[in-house]
Amino acid sequence: MDRRSFIRKAGTAGIGAAAATAALAAPAIAQSSPKITWRLTSSFPKSLDTIYGGAEVFSKMLSEATDGNFTVQVFAAGEIVPGLQAADAAAAGTVEACHTVAYYYWGKDPTWALGAAVPFALNARGMNAWHYHGGGIDLFNEFLATQGLYGLPGGNTGVQMGGWFRKEINTVADMKGLKMRIGGFAGKVVERLGVVPQQIAGGDIYPALEKGTIDAAEWVGPYDDEKLGFQKVAPYYYYPGWWEGGPTVHLMFNKAQYEALPANYKSLVHTAAQAADANMLQKYDYLNPTAIRSLVANGAQLRPFSNEILTACFEQANEVYAEMMASNANFKKIWDSIVAFRKEYYLNMQIAEYNYDTFMMMQQRSSKL
């Protein structure tokens, strides 16, 4: 065989081998990155861009990471199902996913609330520490599996405000008879102090306050509350929201649909969810300072809950927990984990974090910042 013939034949063979390799590789790539389109229903209206936007951040990251192969269409509360039915829709397979707060469903089982926020639990940093490194995600998913769901943290608002009241609330006696929109089973705690709790979706709170259907309402914090205009109908703005020290907003997925995903897509779902989780808290931390100034300038009157009220609520909350642990094994298992970590967490936080923050706040009050 002459040299030219050898080179020509070798080149032809090389091209054939490359083509064969490509032919073999293509199905593998297609199999690991299939075209998937999910629908996600949110519990929040589009007007609340920060909390609703958490689902959009999640969707955008998944699409970009897969060159558009994995798309999640986000629908606002009411577009497919009402906001407080988001998890039910995902569990039933009406949609593949939802973006919601687990305590909305506490009425079915109080264990739901433990994945989000319960009275006098952890702040946002503490909840994230417990979720990601204290076994919280796995513990909560043991429970969600019984509901046909798989969940991941998908946002946090930070410690919330205590809500908007038509009149000042100075003592426990002042709380008796109040009709208050209050999320989660915090309502079960304040009910023992005479409050009449109401479960109302975010978009319906303002009309209820305006019409006098309710006397008070808690939502999130300065940025979202300003958008909803509560200061116009209930000027007294109380703090802190002791029932939501660090409320986790969840991305929940139909369990069968999640488990059917390829391994690389499951990994991307976890990565995008954690990014959305961090982004929401960061955004609230950036926007709330400006919003609280604006609210006060426009008539909001800041008031702290009295120590009498906080102490009474703390004691009632502990009684509620004792009752629930005695009758609900799922609740006890998760609450025991949170309580054990809470004790260690606040022991540590009062050393460096608390002292640094306190010193810096003193400088701010002295107009040195």
Side-chain angles (χ1 to χ4, degrees):
M1 182 183 294
D2 62 27
R3 181 172 176 274
R4 290 183 180 179
S5 176
F6 176 81
I7 292 173
R8 184 174 62 253
K9 290 179 179 179
T12 303
I15 292 170
T21 301
L24 289 171
I29 293 171
Q31 187 177 10
S32 63
S33 299
K35 285 277 188 181
I36 293 178
T37 299
W38 276 5
R39 296 194 305 167
L40 179 153
T41 185
S42 173
S43 283
F44 316 107
K46 290 181 181 179
S47 58
L48 299 176
D49 59 294
T50 306
I51 196 165
Y52 172 82
E56 293 184 315
V57 170
F58 172 75
S59 173
K60 182 174 183 288
M61 292 192 68
L62 281 181
S63 179
E64 290 178 349
T66 61
D67 292 326
N69 283 333
F70 191 176
T71 60
V72 177
Q73 299 173 312
V74 180
F75 295 87
E79 291 183 340
I80 296 179
V81 295
L84 299 183
Q85 295 175 22
D88 300 319
T94 305
V95 294
E96 290 79 12
C98 68
H99 191 226
T100 188
V101 186
Y103 57 50
Y104 288 157
Y105 314 98
W106 79 276
K108 297 192 293 183
D109 186 322
T111 309
W112 278 91
L114 295 175
V118 292
F120 302 103
L122 294 158
N123 62 17
R125 280 183 61 178
M127 279 299 290
N128 278 333
W130 175 73
H131 273 304
Y132 292 107
H133 298 284
I137 290 176
D138 291 339
L139 280 171
F140 193 48
N141 271 314
E142 285 181 20
F143 169 74
L144 288 182
T146 67
Q147 311 296 313
L149 293 164
Y150 181 82
L152 293 169
N156 201 301
T157 67
V159 60
Q160 295 192 357
M161 292 291 284
W164 299 86
F165 293 75
R166 291 182 176 277
K167 64 177 184 178
E168 289 191 77
I169 307 296
N170 298 311
T171 67
V172 172
D174 293 333
M175 300 177 72
K176 292 181 179 178
L178 276 178
K179 291 174 291 183
M180 182 178 182
R181 185 275 178 193
I182 184 165
F185 75 77
K188 192 173 182 67
V189 175
V190 294
E191 189 174 30
R192 295 178 175 224
L193 300 176
V195 173
V196 182
Q198 309 285 317
Q199 185 96 324
I200 302 174
D204 300 325
I205 299 173
Y206 184 91
L209 269 175
E210 186 178 37
K211 295 174 184 177
T213 307
I214 55 176
D215 305 305
E218 59 81 31
W219 178 235
V220 176
Y223 181 70
D224 281 351
D225 290 5
E226 183 177 35
K227 280 179 170 290
L228 294 176
F230 296 140
Q231 75 279 6
K232 300 173 186 176
V233 288
Y236 298 103
Y237 198 20
Y238 276 83
Y239 60 90
W242 45 267
W243 49 88
E244 296 188 68
T248 298
V249 182
H250 266 83
L251 286 156
M252 295 183 189
F253 314 102
N254 178 277
K255 190 172 184 293
Q257 292 288 337
Y258 170 79
E259 290 178 347
L261 291 174
N264 62 326
Y265 276 15
K266 287 180 181 177
S267 179
L268 287 173
V269 164
H270 281 250
T271 300
Q274 191 164 2
D277 184 24
N279 183 74
M280 185 186 294
L281 182 60
Q282 292 157 4
K283 192 171 182 181
Y284 272 119
D285 282 346
Y286 184 77
L287 295 172
N288 279 334
T290 301
I292 193 67
R293 285 183 177 273
S294 177
L295 283 168
V296 171
N298 286 285
Q301 299 187 43
L302 291 175
R303 297 287 189 276
F305 281 126
S306 67
N307 190 61
E308 176 191 336
I309 290 175
L310 289 175
T311 300
C313 291
F314 181 77
E315 292 172 350
Q316 290 298 324
N318 286 336
E319 289 186 14
V320 171
Y321 292 140
E323 293 169 7
M324 289 182 175
M325 286 193 294
S327 61
N328 189 319
N330 288 326
F331 185 95
K332 183 179 187 305
K333 183 176 182 180
I334 299 177
W335 183 235
D336 279 345
S337 176
I338 292 173
V339 168
F341 178 62
R342 182 183 63 174
K343 182 177 181 180
E344 297 302 313
Y345 179 73
Y346 282 110
L347 175 65
N348 176 65
M349 288 293 286
Q350 65 185 287
I351 301 171
E353 294 283 349
Y354 174 82
N355 280 279
Y356 176 76
D357 287 346
T358 300
F359 177 79
M360 293 303 291
M361 291 169 191
M362 291 170 63
Q363 306 317 301
Q364 194 275 339
R365 291 187 178 185
S366 299
S367 300
K368 294 179 180 179
L369 296 185

